Amino acid sequence: MNTVQAPIPDTTPLTGINADEALWYKDAVIYQVNVKSFLDSNDDGIGDFKGLTLKLEYIRDLGVNTIWLMPFYPSPLKDDGYDIADYQNVHPQFGTLDDFRTMLREAHRLGLKVVTELIINHTSDQHPWFQAARNAPAGSPQRDFYVWSDTDQKYLDTRIIFTDTETSNWTWDPVAKAYYWHRFFSHQPDLNFDNPQVIKAVLKIMNFWLDMGVDGFRLDAIPYLVEREGTNNENLRETHAVIKKLRAAIDASYKNRFLLAEANQWPEDVREYFGDGDECNMAYHFPLMPRIYMAIAQEDRYPIIEIIQQTPDIPESCQWAIFLRNHDELTLEMVTSKERDYMYTTYASDLQARINLGIRRRLAPLMENNLDRIKLMNSLLLSMPGSPILYYGDEIGMGDNFFIGDRNGVRTPMQWSPDRNAGFSRADPQRLYLPPIMDAVYGYLSTNVEAQSRDPSSLLSWTKRLLAVRKTTQAFGRGTRRFLRPGNRKILAYLREFGEDTILCVANLSRSAQPVELNLAAYKGRVPVEMLGRTAFPPIGELPYLLTISAYGFYWFRLATDAAIPSWHEQIVSVDERPVLVLFDGWMSLFRERVVPWRIGIAEKTRAQFETDTLPRH
C-alpha cells in the first residue's frame, strides 16, 4: 500500500494562511456552514451557493481559514441532506454545479479552504443504486451494493442509534422481499463495503469532487462501514482496511488533501482512525465537548483533565478536530449514565430540549446568554489541542427553537440584520425553509451581524480579535500540551509549546473571582505578555506566580524572553510620591494665617468687600 510520509512540521511563525501546505489542516480554524441556512440569493426562502459566495468575505474577515459545507447533494431531505440520492450533483434548491464551482474558485481566491461532506456509510432509499438493488435478483452485483438478509435476527449485538424513532436496524423491503440493514433511519440503507464495486464507486465520487478542487472530505459515520456477526459492528478491523484504501488512492493522485473522521467513539477507539498516519488526517474528539460543559457547570477542571489524560497520542501528521456545538444535538453518548443525568438536569431541564441521547440547543442558550461564559467557552475551544470548528451563527450568539422538531431548531436562518427575515431572504416569511429566531433575547431584531459589526464590544467583534490573536502563533494548532496543577481546582491552566513559543492559558471556571498560584519556576526570568491586550506582567521568579482572575475570566500569556519588564515594576518598590496641596479657599488659602485676624476686626464688611480691599492696587 502506498502511503505519504508526512513532512517535519515547520517551526517558523505563521506568516500566511498556512506556513506548511502539507499540514495545513493543523493550523485550520473551520467554519461550519449549512448552505440553505446562510443566504438566499433568489428569494425562494432557501439559502444557495450564490448567496454563500456573496458572504465569503464575511467568513474570511471573521478570521477562519476553512469552510466545512454540510450536505448539498440531491436528496429527498428526510434527514437534512444526509440521505443522498445523487453524489455527483447539487440539489436544485442550492443552485447548480456551476454555482458550486464559482463559489469554490472565489473561496480559494480569498485564501479559504473548502471541505465537503461525504456520507459513504449509507444512501437514501431513493438513490438509483438502491432502486437497482431492490429490483435485482438476490446474489447479483446490483443487489450486493447493500446489505440484505432473509431474517432480522442477524447482528443482534448492534446498538440502535436513533432509539426514539427506530426499533430495529433491519427494515423489510416488499420489492426485494428481504430485509436491508441500516444503522441510522430506515430510509437510509447501508452500503455493502465487502463488495469491491462499492469501494470503486466511492473512489469515483471522491475523484469527481477532488478534481473540481475541494480540499478534503468529512467522512460521516465511518465506524459502521462493515458488519460481522458476533460483534457490535463498530470500529471493525475491516472498516479500517476500507479507509486505508481510500486514503492511499487519494494520496496517490492528489496533494494536500485531507480526510476528517466523524467517529463518535471513546478516544482509544477514535485513535485507530488515524492508523499509522495512513487513514484519516483528522478526527473529532467527541468526548471532550460535553466535559467542557460539565467543567463550567461544576466549576471544576477535573472533567476536562480526566478525558484529555485518557486520550492517546496520535501520529505526528494527524490532528484532532474540536468543537462546542454543531448541527446535531449536543451528544451525550460518550459520557457515563450519571454524567448524562447531570447534563440533562443542568442544561436541558425542559424535556423538549432533549433528543436521542443529547441536547438540541446552541451555545448561547446553553450558557444562558452569559457573555462571559460564552467567551470562556470559546477561549477553551481555541486554545485546546486540535483544530477548532465554529458553527455558523455562534459568533454572534444566535439562539435556537427546539419546538420546531428534530434538530432543526439549531439550523435556523443566519441573522444578518434587523430587516425582514433577518436579512437572510426577501421571500415572504411563510416561504422560508424554517422561521428565523424571533424571541426578545435571541431574535434577529436584537442579535444580528449588522448591529454587532458596529459595536466594538460585541461578541462578533471579540471573536474576530480572539481569532486574530490565535493566528499569531502555531502553538495552538501544533504545540504540545501540559497541564499545570494549581491547588485551586476552579482554575484550569495549561501550557502550549511549539518551537520557541510558549503559551500559558489560564481559565477561571467559577462564577466568582479566583486567585491561583502557578509553578512556573522552569520559566524564571520570562515576562508573561497578555496576548489580547499585549500587556506585560511582572517577570516570573522562583516563587509561585500569583494571579487573580475575574468570574469566568481567562488569560492567554506568551511567556516572552525578549519582552521588557513593566516600567513600574522594580525589585525594591520605592515610594516617590509628591505631596498634595489642597486650596480649600481658593488662592487666598495661601495667606489664611496672615489675613484672618484682620478680618475678625472688620466683620461688618462683606466677603466681597474684604477681597476687594485686599487686592493689590496698581
Side-chain angles (χ1 to χ4, degrees), residues 74-78 82-87 122-135 146 173 180 186-189:
S75 164
L77 299 178
K78 293 182 179 180
Y82 283 86
D83 47 333
I84 296 176
D86 182 356
Y87 283 98
H122 53 262
T123 70
S124 166
D125 57 7
Q126 301 304 307
H127 196 289
W129 293 347
F130 185 75
Q131 293 301 314
R134 68 197 302 230
N135 286 285
Y146 295 83
D173 182 61
Y180 62 85
S186 58
H187 57 79
Q188 294 169 324

Side-chain angles (χ1 to χ4, degrees), residues 45 73 162 179 272 311 338 357 399 401 460 485 524 530:
Y73 312 97
F162 293 142
Y179 291 94
E272 299 305 314
T311 303
K338 182 178 180 180
L357 290 177
N401 181 1
L460 176 60
R485 304 285 179 163
K524 179 182 177 181
E530 200 277 323

